[in-house]
Amino acid sequence: MSRFISTAICALFVCSICSTEASAAGNATKGKAVYDANCTACHATGIGGSPKLGDKVAWAPRIKQGEAVLTTHAIKGFKTPGSTGMAMMPKAGKPTLSDADIANATAYIVKSSK
Ligand code: HEC
């Protein structure tokens, strides 16, 4: 069991290195097109409690988590505990988007919202 845990922690560590790199490489310029095509329906309007693009107050506590966490949430889906609003669906419900597309779109959102 503890072997499993240390393997898991190790995998997590390695992954966190990859995802830090991935999000460091999250390219806001490339992300704009991904955002425009896939994220505006919610993040431009604020529908269902979606944090709006450019809303610094809504994004500040989220951005504090770090871009890698935000990217993971956007890839895997996320709902603020206790929230009665909508959830962020995994990859915005578009499984054809690559992890890099999501990282780029997230980088664009973060850049535009702080
Ligand atoms: C169908 C509506 C919808 C679409 C489309 C959508 N989102 Fe979201 N997103 C949400 C909602 C709602 C939340 C807030 C969830 C919560 O905090 O409970 C959210 C939250 C997020 C967060 C913050 C996660 C966190 O940890 O606070 C990120 C990052 C994000 N979305 C990225 C994206 C990206 C990138 C796209 C486009 C590829 C996208 N979203 C498309 C509804 C949407």
Side-chain angles (χ1 to χ4, degrees), residues 38-39 42-43 50 62 65 70 73 79-80 86 88 92:
N38 302 288
C39 319
C42 300
H43 289 285
S50 323
R62 297 179 190 268
Q65 306 172 94
L70 292 179
H73 286 169
K79 182 154 185 179
T80 302
M86 273 165 43
M88 172 67 204

